[in-house]
Amino acid sequence: MIHFILLFSRQGKLRLQKWYTTLPDKEKKKIIREIIQIILSRNQKTSSFVDWKDLKLVYKRYASLYFCCAIEDQDNELLTLEVVHRYVELLDRYFGNVCELDIIFNFEKAYFILDEFIIGGEVQETSKKTAVKAIEDSDMLQETVEEYMNKPAF
Amino acid sequence: MALKMVKGSIDRMFDKNLQDLVRGIRNHKEDEAKYISQCIDEIKQELKQDNIAVKANAVCKLTYLQMLGYDISWAAFNIIEVMSASKFTFKRIGYLAASQCFHEGTDVIMLTTNQIRKDLSSPNQYDTGVALTGLSCFVTPDLARDLANDIMTLMSHTKPYIRKKAVLIMYKVFLKYPESLRPAFPRLKEKLEDPDPGVQSAAVNVICELARRNPKNYLSLAPLFFKLMTSSTNNWVLIKIIKLFGALTPLEPRLGKKLIEPLTNLIHSTSAMSLLYECVNTVICGLFFQLCVQKLRILIEDSDQNLKYLGLLAMSKILKTHPKSVQSHKDLILQCLDDKDESIRLRALDLLYGMVSKKNLMEIVKKLMIHVDKAEGTTYRDELLTKIIDICSQSNYQYITNFEWYISILVELTRLEGTRHGHLIAAQMLDVAIRVKAIRKFAVSQMAMLLDNAHLIASNTQRNGICEVLYAAAWICGEFSEHLEEANQTLEAMLRPKVTTLPGHIQAVYVQNMVKLYASILQQKEQAGEKEAAQEITQLMIERLPQFVQSADLEVQERASCILQLIKYIQKLQAKEVPVAEEVIALFAGELNPVAPKAQKKVPVPEGLDLDAWINEPPSDSESEDEKPKTIFHEEEQRHSRHRQPEIDEEELARRREARKQEQANNPFYIKSSPSPQKRYQDTPGVEHIPVVQIDLSVPLKVPGMPMSDQYVKLEEERRHKQKLEKDKKKKKQKKEKRGKHHRHNSLHTESEEDIAPAHHVDIITEEMPENALPSDEDDKDPNDPYKALDIDLDKPLADSEKLPVQRHRNVETLKSPDSEVPLVEKKSKKPKKKEKKHKDKERDKGKKKEKEKKVVEEEEEEVKKVILQDLHYFSSCCYLLLSSFCCLGTASDSFLQVTVSVIFENKSTSFLKSMELNVLDSLNTKMLRPEGSSVHDGIPVPFQLPPGISNEAQFVFTLQSIVMAQKLKGTLSFIVKDDEGSTHEKLDFKLHFSCASYLITTPCYSDAFAKLLESGDLHMSSIKVDGISISFQHLLAKICFHHHFSVVERVDSCASMYSRSIQGHHVCLLVKKGENSVSIDGKCNDSTLLSNLLDEMKETLSKC
């Protein structure tokens, strides 16, 4: 099971956090700070796996953004890398050549995509097509911000 | 109004949306905190507005701020408001915010239960999906319990999108609410073969996660997974399955062989590194061991000592995780015990520990005993001894079938010269004698013999370590003296002067147990009327005890002098011919039981005792902290200097030695360490005449008269052989009765461990626990480990009590969510009207009869659900009755149906009602379920009393044969009315109406599935037409939905299709068309009777409109 997923920039700014275990906010903040520090201090050429407490951190850098998952001892590290990669692919498909700014400005979308892909720390949809379709379909239900701005207030 | 509208729009134009916020934050790099606090103020304003769109926008911004590390817990209630928005746009934002910031400590989370339930059953799959996603993040034990049933139903949703989400969420639910695992498991298993690959992979995921934690419960699924593994091409799924097999193979070694081929294929063919890695990983951890062990054998058999040593070392590593794969190489390990290299022998010993079984324990120990005899060097021998004891005593003597054998092994071990582990043997003797009741007699006789031959053990000063066993021997003989045959002899053995050479703590035990022995001998003699013999024994004690009184050991001295006085007193009494034995024996009455190591922890803390509270106020920190240590330090230093005296020269030393000797000689309590023991006794009176024979043997000899353990091995073998023969005979008989002689050969030499029954019934006394403590092993478990709770046997059939909890309508009232309050108000406003109506009806019927009791009509639709035994359907329904409203909950099994009816009793009178009893006249179809043994005329007591103005609910269970027809049951409620004048017995008649509609479950259906159903052609058809309908079509549909539990599938203009399902799984489809002033309903259903009855009911409802 994935315990949490963090996305952060090279400058150490958190871009997205998803927790599959419930923790108090204070704890989360502490963990986030610690992990960002651990990963940013690692050399580019080192492996993508770090043992951290009783979990394993699996991370990968895409452009300026680090994607980091915390998994359990028995989980497969390579599979987790593939999970990360698949998520990036999904983002790419949805945004079209995704960049960090896409995630910053549409951070709720990034969450929705993640939710379609992973639920409760487990991969729910292994097919790229199905996952993106689900997001697009639910977007159809959603009116755009412009529409909502132009509607009367009642 | 118009102005307000415009104002609202304009306001919103100035609202920041998320993009503005993000941009703003990026533009205010210098004063970010200030900018954000300004934004939060704006957001607070926005949240105060009524417009849900504005609120949602605000919540969206908050979610972003939360990620930046700002606390938004204050907005939890607003988040719930947005979650309950009807528009998906907002709902989605609400759930996202909730999933980001809610955790188990969020108190408003309980308000969401109903909202989530509503969303879960929403016809829009994305509403359901978003609710499930959110739930996966913030599910609490309460939510899990309340929603388990709903989520389980979603596992069979028509849309795979929902099914796969529901399956994955179930894992979270299991973790939070482990009771749900068993009821939900059959359905989860079904999902492994779901047609949709997504759902299938989700199910594989969940089961793998479950199984990895508690693999033994999932062994039965192995064939199914094997099939999946060989057929699936989805790498994601394959990895999970392989991981699962990795967990299963240690439990079922045969799986390993089967797996090798498919895994090798995968390793060769796959291009996915992650899959390759998983395969290799599994192979290393599981299957590989068998191969490894075989290779290691070659190493061990090698003549090179280095290889041999390393082979054994590696073997012991495997033994820890895979004992079974090593066990088959027992012969080789035993051979290694003969090796001339000590380190190799030690390694082999380590391995033996894990290899014993009931069958081979005696054999292995026998071998070890031979080695003990042959062994040179005390270290190795000590190692052997500890290993023998470890091997025998492991897991609570699990492998010992014959304790007599074990005791004799222990006794034989006492022959060991110069071992340091006497206390180990002693502890074992004590433990076995105390805990194995059946062995006590034998143990006592052996111990008596040990005591008798104590001189052999204790004579040699080198053997000092072993004299510890005398401690155990003395205690056992004393404590269980009733089993002693020649107590006199043992007592005398214990009183021998030689005993005083033993270490003090052993002497102390001797003294104490002498009295126990003495007491039991005294009792024997007195009962036999041999007064003289009794006096003789007292005399003996008085003669011999003084040698202990003079002991240098304080403990011995104190006990001995106490006891001496006691016995002198007894002597006086005996002289007066007063029977004393009973009183003496009372000194040692009661049995000593072993205390469990965890007992202390289990002592419950008495009420009112706070262990954390200070007894005295803690000293204040400031108090002279720097001073005190200083003084201590100072003193210490002084002391040091005092000790450190200038170097002492030889002369001075000699002089002092002399002085000390002098001093000691004059001290009567100092026993000199003179080499000859005889000398020491010179000044002790009355012992010179006892000749002390010193037998000093260089060869360890058999303690005379002691049974050799070998005898027991032989006996045991014979016994087992006999047992086997008997068993074979039985088997042969059985086989003959059955068929062929085919299998007989196999059965002869495949004797499993369990077949060996212990020699005699051995009851190991359980260790004592404090009162109120549960004898569970709970504290071995980590209370924080959520997976332990999921260690549940899944193969047992489901019991009734295991149904998932179902939300009753009462729960609604306890919730404060604004949403659930609305129906509540409606309900309340409806109630009084009905009550009055009914009230009048009844008064008309009953004439002037005073109305004491009244049942409340409650129209409740959605909230009543119950799990059905096997199929685990749930449904909601209510019985809508003439007199009282009953909620009908059903459970169906194969042969008949069970329906639970809730009756609400409300006392409208001013008197107290008690002893209520409800009885119903059973029909052929519908019967009330009465407790066993009562007749059909017996009523069922209502489990409460009713004070005036109070209402309460009771449930009654009915069994049904069929649901296709409506039923009306006549019933009576008898009760006692108690008021100031006294009490009267009264009755109230009522009718219980089980309408057909109450057996229907509102089940959503999608138009495609609906169309398929209609096309399938195995439905019966019927139709009705009702004239004079004036209400709107919308209203009409609502009525059908509400009263008859239908849901609208599709609606086009004044025509609608509707669907519902019965608790027995009948599909009911309706086509409702509205003309002018009339309505026609065409129905289709699997059962024509059910359909026509349903339509009749509908006609009745509609004609009232």
Side-chain angles (χ1 to χ4, degrees), chain B residues 482 518-534 574 578-583 585:
Chain B
E482 70 269 20
Y518 166 74
S520 73
I521 295 173
L522 203 63
Q523 195 188 25
Q524 256 175 33
K525 302 284 179 206
E526 263 187 27
Q527 276 167 358
E530 301 167 27
K531 274 176 204 156
E532 281 186 14
Q574 275 181 333
V578 183
V580 281
E582 288 306 320
E583 283 166 52
I585 209 111

Side-chain angles (χ1 to χ4, degrees), chain B residues 992-1010:
Chain B
L992 206 52
H993 186 179
F994 292 86
S995 70
C996 282
S998 61
Y999 303 124
L1000 294 185
I1001 319 160
T1002 317
T1003 319
C1005 182
Y1006 296 91
S1007 46
D1008 42 350
F1010 188 78

Side-chain angles (χ1 to χ4, degrees), chain B residues 101-119:
Chain B
C101 74
F102 282 8
H103 50 86
E104 280 186 30
T106 310
D107 43 5
V108 289
I109 220 165
M110 55 176 282
L111 301 184
T112 59
T113 318
N114 259 29
Q115 179 56 42
I116 295 173
R117 175 170 295 137
K118 211 169 112 193
D119 288 335

Side-chain angles (χ1 to χ4, degrees), chain B residues 44 304 684 704 942 998 1052:
Chain B
K44 280 185 178 160
D304 186 345
T684 37
V942 181
S998 61
V1052 184

Side-chain angles (χ1 to χ4, degrees), chain B residues 149-168:
Chain B
N149 200 12
D150 303 64
I151 300 172
M152 203 168 72
T153 322
L154 289 178
M155 278 163 66
S156 331
H157 199 274
T158 48
K159 293 260 167 45
Y161 178 80
I162 301 297
R163 285 206 301 272
K164 80 180 175 211
K165 276 183 197 271
V167 167
L168 284 166

Side-chain angles (χ1 to χ4, degrees), chain A residues 23 29 33 35 53 57-58 87 90 92 107 117 123 129 141 149 151:
Chain A
L23 288 172
K29 271 186 211 164
R33 227 177 307 132
I35 286 177
K53 295 190 176 166
L57 301 178
V58 175
Y87 179 48
L90 289 175
D92 209 45
F107 91 116
F117 178 42
V123 175
K129 222 167 98 192
L141 287 170
M149 291 298 282
K151 263 192 185 169

Side-chain angles (χ1 to χ4, degrees), chain B residues 607-656:
Chain B
E607 228 174 287
L609 174 66
D610 182 6
L611 289 173
D612 294 328
W614 287 94
I615 297 172
N616 296 313
E617 277 306 301
S620 62
D621 293 343
S622 58
E623 204 183 299
S624 64
E625 221 177 337
D626 348 76
E627 290 167 29
K628 270 192 180 169
K630 248 184 199 168
T631 54
I632 290 167
F633 187 61
H634 190 59
E635 274 178 10
E636 257 176 356
E637 227 173 23
Q638 270 185 336
R639 232 180 279 151
H640 270 296
S641 60
R642 225 183 284 150
H643 284 296
R644 223 181 292 137
Q645 276 166 358
E647 281 172 48
I648 308 156
D649 57 318
E650 279 296 307
E651 244 177 86
E652 171 72 11
L653 271 178
R655 195 183 56 76
R656 279 190 195 174

